[in-house]
Amino acid sequence: MARVESIEQDSWQASFSQSRQEGATRVLEEGGLLFLPHLAFGVGKTQKRLLSLDSVSLKAKNVSFDVRNGRVSGTSLQGPDAVALQDMLERFARQSLALVRSLLPHYAPSLEQARTSFRPVEASGRVSSWRKDDRRLHVDAFPSSPNQGKRLLRVFSNINPDGKDRVWHLGEAFEAVARRFLPLVPRPLPGFPRLLYALGITKSLRSEYDHIMLRIHDCMKADEKYQAAAVSTQLRLPPDSTWVVCTDCVSHAAVSGQFMMEQTFLLPVAGMLDPDRSPLRVLERMTGRTLT
């Protein structure tokens, strides 16, 4: 099971000792989760009205903000409410970046800030295909956004106004997942990644690493016997708490909960304390070949 390390801190601008920084970094790289039970993302009175399903468009499951171009997508709001929503997303992006830089300074020089999201939909009640059902144990891989082996470091905050926990299940270690599902993954067809890119299906070329991770993600979710029998532990994440985890290596399932903020960071493997612990290096050892 993933190790859960609690950090008693209530400020996004906190200073951490070197031992705490190194310890937190190692927890993440060893497939663990950092839990900050008292670190709340404050939602002001003028923004509480945004904690509604009206904030997200009918065809989307979350609202997304890209700090790289300032664009918001997935919302049906307009006018002042749209401005308030963007302000909330931008503030979470800033605070998440400040937290990661202070808690995980080893990553700061090579870290890339990706999308920020607001997730107002109840996880337990959303109807979706098995592939998009995040209530099933999985490791993260993005079909349209290949990352060529970069780590997926993510910051989450529960902002539920009704006192409802976010409930996750944490499954087995990445190496165990890979040993089970890697034999089911065929080699990619020659030229297929370039075709996907040319057709606009992917935003960049899909490496063999991306191909394997996406297939492992799908195989995990599609395997009903695995979902029923896999050993997992429940983690309850209350309102006004924050957690940090590398979701490309931690097997997890978002079982229930509503109203959450999330920030994704991309970290090159070379920026890690121990690159050999990355999913990329694990899979390269298992396959015996370079995957990016």
Side-chain angles (χ1 to χ4, degrees), residues 9-12 36-43 91-92 95 157-159 239-242:
Q9 183 54 254
D10 61 2
S11 172
W12 295 88
L36 295 91
H38 308 299
L39 183 58
F41 177 67
V43 180
R91 184 162 54 87
F92 189 74
Q95 293 185 348
S157 284
N158 185 350
I159 59 171
D240 298 330
S241 70
T242 294

Side-chain angles (χ1 to χ4, degrees), residues 97-108:
L97 181 59
L99 173 66
V100 170
R101 282 176 170 171
S102 59
L103 181 58
L104 309 166
H106 184 83
Y107 294 162

Side-chain angles (χ1 to χ4, degrees), residues 228-239:
V231 177
S232 65
T233 185
Q234 186 183 91
L235 181 63
R236 303 192 72 90
L237 302 146

Side-chain angles (χ1 to χ4, degrees), residues 25-84:
T25 304
R26 294 194 184 281
V27 167
L28 291 177
E29 295 191 1
E30 292 169 5
L33 179 148
L34 303 175
F35 177 48
L36 295 91
H38 308 299
L39 183 58
F41 177 67
V43 180
K45 291 182 179 180
T46 59
Q47 293 178 331
K48 284 190 181 295
R49 68 182 185 278
L50 303 175
L51 303 186
S52 165
L53 291 178
D54 293 338
S55 293
V56 66
S57 60
L58 293 176
K59 294 184 178 180
K61 68 176 182 179
N62 57 60
V63 180
S64 178
F65 169 69
D66 194 334
V67 69
R68 295 165 292 192
N69 56 30
R71 294 177 182 172
V72 176
S73 59
T75 183
S76 55
L77 297 181
Q78 297 181 348
D81 283 347
V83 173

Side-chain angles (χ1 to χ4, degrees), residues 94-259:
R94 290 195 304 272
Q95 293 185 348
S96 297
L97 181 59
L99 173 66
V100 170
R101 282 176 170 171
S102 59
L103 181 58
L104 309 166
H106 184 83
Y107 294 162
S110 52
L111 203 65
E112 176 186 346
Q113 190 165 18
R115 292 184 182 273
T116 313
S117 67
F118 168 48
R119 305 183 179 188
V121 179
E122 169 57 57
S124 65
R126 198 173 72 86
V127 178
S128 66
S129 66
W130 60 264
R131 184 175 281 110
K132 295 182 179 181
D133 188 354
D134 288 340
R135 295 170 298 179
R136 297 172 180 239
L137 286 168
H138 64 283
V139 291
D140 281 346
F142 302 145
S144 64
S145 301
N147 57 40
Q148 288 84 33
K150 294 178 182 177
R151 304 301 313 276
L152 300 178
L153 174 65
R154 310 181 88 177
V155 179
F156 300 89
S157 284
N158 185 350
I159 59 171
N160 190 283
D162 302 316
K164 187 172 182 178
D165 293 345
R166 192 82 175 180
V167 180
W168 274 25
H169 286 172
L170 300 178
E172 59 189 348
F174 180 77
E175 287 200 40
V177 170
R179 282 195 298 270
R180 180 184 182 101
F181 292 106
L182 183 58
L184 304 178
V185 179
R187 296 284 289 268
L189 296 174
F192 191 60
R194 291 192 178 278
L195 176 61
L196 293 175
Y197 180 56
L199 293 175
I201 296 173
T202 60
K203 297 174 183 177
S204 60
L205 285 176
R206 184 181 289 176
S207 67
E208 188 174 1
Y209 168 81
D210 295 300
H211 167 81
I212 291 173
M213 288 294 288
L214 191 58
R215 287 299 185 96
I216 288 177
H217 168 278
D218 289 355
C219 286
M220 290 178 73
K221 285 188 174 181
D223 192 330
E224 298 289 354
K225 290 183 178 179
Y226 176 77
Q227 293 294 327
V231 177
S232 65
T233 185
Q234 186 183 91
L235 181 63
R236 303 192 72 90
L237 302 146
D240 298 330
S241 70
T242 294
W243 56 105
V244 185
V245 60
C246 291
T247 57
D248 55 349
C249 72
V250 175
S251 174
H252 63 287
V255 179
S256 66
Q258 186 176 14
F259 302 115

